Amino acid sequence: MDDPYHNNVNQQMTEGGDYTYTQDGGGQDGYPYQTDYPPQDEDAASDATEGADEDDQMYEGEYQGIPHPDEIKEARRAARVEARRKARMAAQQEEEEESLPEQYETIMEDCGHGRFQWMLFFVLGLALMADGVDGFVVGFVLPSAEKDMCISNADKGLLGLLVYVAMMVGALVWGGLCDKMGRRKCLIYVLTIDLVFSFLSCFAQGYGFFLFLRFCSGFGIGGSIPIVYTYFTEFLQMDKRGEHLSWLCMFWMFGGLYASFTAWGIIPHYGWGFAIGTHLQMHSWRLFILVCLFPALAALIGLVFMPESPRFLLENARHDEAWMILRQVHDTNWKAKGEPERVFTVTNIKTPQTQEDEFIEIQSETGTAFQRWTVRKMTMLQQVMANIMSLSAPELRLQGLLLVIVWFCLAFSYHGLGVWFPDMIKYMQYEEYESKVRIFHRERVERFHFNFSLVNQIHREGEYIHDKFANIEIKSVKFESSLFENCYFEDIKSTNTFFENCTIKNTVFYNTDLWQDKFKNCRMENATFLHPKKGCHLNFQEENDIVIYMVSFLGSLAVLPGNIISALFMDKIGRIRIIGGSMLASSACTFLLLLSFSQGAVICWQCLFYSVSVAAWNGLEVISVELYPSSKRGTAFGILNGICKFAAIIASSIFAAFIGITKIIPIFLAFAALVCGGMVALKLPETREKILS
């Protein structure tokens, strides 16, 4: 600012170096002002006047809220510096992400393939075996459980449906969580849930409670397949993946063999059952469920001694933990090979840290324990959903759509025919049984003592006067429009026996299971029921038909050749040729089902179909874990496995509906699905030489 006083001040320096200030005023002398300071050199004068430059002057726009031009320049300069810093960090992170797969592959090659991978192979194989066992449990226990719990046909279908729905949901949930929580941790949760609820289902006396427990068990074990394949893949080097993942698939076959063999040996023999008090009945089918827990229990115990996937740890910026595990793998393998002196030479592995990790880290340091827990879980849920949405990215969209089609087509035909084969055998047995039925028409029996069993008979318009039925079994017998007068029934056990449009006069039923549901449109005149055995009851002398167990056992055993061939050639001819060739060959096998005129023929074609189609399953599971990046691998595999369960639900309903009506429609549907899936599979990218991204 201008000052009139300072404008009129003159500065003069005397000979002695003193400064004299005078003020001009009309030609007269002003007020003298003289200092007595000693003279200063040049540097001292500069220091004395430092800070008294133009910047100390008041900026006119400051009071108006207008930034100083120098402040604007400084802000722009800082913004440019920050932008350059972020660009450098982004480029560095992209470079690290690109180099991590190659570096990890090099490390796995240096660690070698040996004892550690084989130990993990058997532990994860037991977990996969537990899933295979669980897929057979419901089908094996239903024939006995329906009599023990009085389950209707509609309720039987509901049980199978809910178990598959639970597995589908479990695959989706646990597949996504294993990408955020870790492969090992989620697999421990999965096996624990299956063990707890399966064990409780052994003691469930009511059907509703049993249904709930099996649903929870299915939700747990449904997540095992996505986790097992994702987990094992990340411990394998590129040239070993196809072969050893195919060997791992054999454990699902072992699960089917184990379930079939134990069911065959336990369930038909009801004498193995026992009672605890009056309310808890432990029949043989409950013991079978208990025995089926052993693979899951063994896998859980083994998993306690296994480490987390180092690839998962690296993707989540946990460098030190990953390094320790990789060194453990290296030392375990080379010590087993007789070279303990070999040193793990890796010192640094690039691990870019993500914003998601930083967000959880910051939030975890604030608030109460419950708030921190809530923040972690909500953030994890958001990340899982974001991971699912990221699968629709342009670079993943096409291959994802192709995989969905192939998974659906293969599961639709495989599980559909898996239901059709045993149901067709049962229908043939029923037709054979019906062809041997004995028909009695207008017979009159008076004052006769029936002391022998009545089996597979139809009595029409008969008359039974003063007859006695005592201590016998009536199986698959129907009385139509018959008269029972002054008869006596005592200690009767009946199976599939009914009275239709009959007249019951002066007849006593003592300690029998002939109750209201057995009499349809019957006229009762002075009929007496004493000590009736209401409901349904197990017949401890009757043995279940063992054909169903034999069929499942042979079907599981039939996949052994296909498993071996696919494992040996997976890395030689490639995944795509294995999948496409197996599905197209399986479609040709479906036409042989038109020649199924006997139970033996159905079993033969079933074994052939399973043997050929298993190679497609192995190839599809291998390519599914190789196509997706590590951060999305579990999520993608979980979705694909969920689609597999969804296709199984649809196929089971459709194929079962045509049993006894026609064979052409189920066979055509299976053929069309296999051809469609096989042709689409040929469009998938080959991953035989692909490094895990």
Side-chain angles (χ1 to χ4, degrees), residues 60-357:
E60 293 182 355
E62 183 174 354
Y63 292 110
Q64 303 176 13
I66 302 175
H68 194 281
D70 292 340
E71 294 178 359
I72 297 176
K73 293 179 181 179
E74 184 64 26
R76 290 175 178 173
R77 188 181 302 111
R80 288 194 295 270
V81 171
E82 180 66 16
R84 287 195 294 269
R85 185 184 70 83
K86 290 183 177 180
R88 286 195 301 271
M89 289 183 63
Q92 182 181 2
Q93 181 172 340
E94 183 177 356
E95 180 182 356
E96 290 173 347
E97 290 176 349
E98 291 176 353
S99 63
L100 176 59
E102 289 80 5
Q103 186 182 14
Y104 189 81
E105 181 65 29
T106 302
I107 294 172
M108 293 309 303
E109 290 177 354
D110 183 56
C111 291
H113 188 92
R115 175 180 291 177
F116 182 89
Q117 279 83 0
W118 284 113
M119 290 190 301
L120 184 64
F121 173 81
F122 284 107
V123 171
L124 297 182
L126 288 171
L128 197 60
M129 182 177 173
D131 179 85
V133 170
D134 216 64
F136 288 89
V137 166
V138 172
F140 287 158
V141 304
L142 265 180
S144 299
E146 66 177 324
K147 293 180 282 187
D148 198 7
M149 296 182 176
C150 305
I151 303 175
S152 65
N153 290 331
D155 289 338
K156 284 193 298 183
L158 181 63
L159 176 60
L161 173 65
L162 284 183
V163 169
Y164 265 100
V165 170
M167 288 183 172
M168 178 180 69
V169 176
L172 296 173
V173 172
W174 293 111
L177 288 178
C178 79
D179 281 335
K180 298 302 174 184
M181 294 174 59
R183 289 44 165 137
R184 175 179 175 272
K185 181 185 292 186
C186 283
L187 190 55
I188 289 176
Y189 289 159
V190 159
L191 294 174
T192 303
I193 292 173
D194 177 52
L195 280 170
V196 171
F197 288 101
S198 293
F199 178 77
L200 293 177
S201 70
C202 297
F203 305 96
Q205 299 298 303
Y207 178 67
F209 193 39
F210 180 77
L211 195 67
F212 169 75
L213 293 173
R214 294 312 304 180
F215 179 88
C216 295
S217 172
F219 171 75
I221 201 63
S224 62
I225 291 181
I227 302 174
V228 163
Y229 284 101
T230 301
Y231 192 8
F232 192 51
T233 298
E234 294 171 348
F235 280 96
L236 297 174
Q237 58 200 65
M238 181 176 61
D239 59 342
K240 300 288 186 181
R241 279 201 310 264
E243 178 184 353
H244 288 273
L245 285 174
S246 298
W247 290 127
L248 185 66
C249 295
M250 293 183 65
F251 279 91
W252 206 92
M253 174 199 72
F254 293 148
L257 293 175
Y258 178 81
S260 304
F261 184 76
T262 53
W264 194 346
I266 295 176
I267 295 180
H269 305 288
Y270 291 123
W272 289 23
F274 58 93
I276 303 177
T278 57
H279 299 288
L280 186 57
Q281 300 291 326
M282 285 293 294
H283 294 135
S284 57
W285 65 270
R286 299 180 187 274
L287 180 62
F288 166 70
I289 295 178
L290 197 62
V291 172
C292 287
L293 300 181
F294 292 161
L297 180 61
L300 183 60
I301 294 173
L303 202 60
V304 173
F305 301 97
M306 292 292 109
E308 180 57 86
S309 164
R311 185 59 183 269
F312 166 79
L313 296 174
L314 291 173
E315 293 290 341
N316 288 271
R318 294 159 65 178
H319 173 276
D320 294 343
E321 296 175 66
W323 186 88
M324 293 294 292
I325 294 171
L326 288 171
R327 190 180 72 171
Q328 175 189 352
V329 175
H330 176 277
D331 294 347
T332 301
N333 287 341
W334 288 111
K335 284 180 181 178
K337 294 177 181 179
E339 300 183 36
E341 68 280 358
R342 293 194 62 157
V343 180
F344 187 58
T345 57
V346 177
T347 57
N348 183 52
I349 308 174
K350 297 179 180 180
T351 53
Q353 189 173 9
T354 63
Q355 294 180 356
E356 296 170 349
D357 300 321

Side-chain angles (χ1 to χ4, degrees), residues 385-616:
M385 295 305 299
N387 229 13
I388 294 175
M389 297 304 297
S390 66
L391 294 176
S392 60
E395 64 272 14
L396 300 175
R397 189 179 304 158
L398 178 59
Q399 68 184 33
L401 179 60
L402 295 178
L403 276 175
V404 166
I405 295 174
V406 178
W407 271 89
F408 184 89
C409 291
L410 183 57
F412 180 84
S413 58
Y414 185 89
H415 290 285
L417 290 177
V419 171
W420 188 83
F421 287 130
D423 283 358
M424 193 65 188
I425 291 174
K426 290 179 182 178
Y427 179 74
M428 289 181 174
Q429 290 177 334
Y430 173 77
E431 281 192 324
E432 183 180 357
Y433 190 77
E434 287 288 305
S435 66
K436 298 178 181 179
V437 65
R438 298 178 61 189
I439 301 177
F440 299 87
H441 188 66
R442 291 186 177 180
E443 65 174 350
R444 179 181 176 89
V445 181
E446 189 172 356
R447 300 185 184 278
F448 185 79
H449 183 192
F450 289 86
N451 56 2
F452 51 87
S453 297
L454 304 178
V455 180
N456 196 20
Q457 300 176 2
I458 297 178
H459 298 263
R460 294 171 179 165
E461 299 180 6
E463 295 182 1
Y464 305 90
I465 313 296
H466 292 286
D467 293 328
K468 182 178 181 180
F469 300 80
N471 297 310
I472 65 172
E473 178 184 0
I474 305 178
K475 181 179 180 181
S476 300
V477 176
K478 182 185 293 185
F479 295 94
E480 298 178 355
S481 303
S482 298
L483 170 65
F484 292 86
E485 186 174 356
N486 296 316
C487 292
Y488 182 77
F489 290 81
E490 180 180 1
D491 294 328
I492 303 297
K493 295 178 181 178
S494 65
T495 303
N496 194 29
T497 297
F498 301 97
F499 297 78
E500 293 184 1
N501 302 313
C502 294
T503 301
I504 314 295
K505 293 182 178 181
N506 303 318
T507 297
V508 177
F509 296 87
Y510 179 82
N511 193 31
T512 72
D513 58 6
L514 300 175
W515 193 238
Q516 295 177 353
D517 58 330
K518 303 287 186 179
F519 299 92
K520 300 180 179 180
N521 300 321
C522 293
R523 185 161 58 94
M524 299 288 184
E525 297 181 5
N526 196 24
T528 305
F529 293 86
L530 301 175
H531 304 289
K533 295 184 290 186
K534 300 179 182 179
C536 47
H537 305 274
L538 284 173
N539 186 345
F540 291 92
Q541 281 71 44
E542 178 188 2
E543 289 196 354
N544 280 7
D545 187 5
I546 64 174
V547 173
I548 188 64
Y549 308 125
M550 183 184 68
V551 169
S552 299
F553 183 86
L554 293 177
S556 299
L557 188 62
V559 305
L560 181 61
N563 266 317
I564 295 175
I565 293 173
S566 63
L568 295 177
F569 291 95
M570 188 68 70
D571 289 320
K572 291 181 173 61
I573 66 176
R575 290 77 162 120
I576 304 306
R577 292 179 180 176
I578 289 285
I579 300 171
S582 174
M583 294 186 71
L584 293 176
S586 299
S587 66
C589 292
T590 58
F591 280 106
L592 297 175
L593 299 177
L594 294 173
L595 305 177
S596 302
F597 301 113
S598 65
Q599 298 179 38
V602 173
I603 295 174
C604 178
W605 304 138
Q606 174 197 17
C607 293
L608 179 62
F609 175 78
Y610 284 165
S611 179
V612 174
S613 62
V614 69

Side-chain angles (χ1 to χ4, degrees), residues 18 32 368:
D18 298 334
T368 64

Side-chain angles (χ1 to χ4, degrees), residues 9-15 17-23 30-36:
V9 173
N10 295 324
Q11 178 177 323
Q12 298 178 355
M13 186 173 69
T14 63
E15 293 179 358
D18 298 334
Y19 288 88
T20 302
Y21 291 86
T22 60
Q23 183 177 3
Y31 299 96
Y33 183 84
Q34 184 175 355
T35 64
D36 297 328

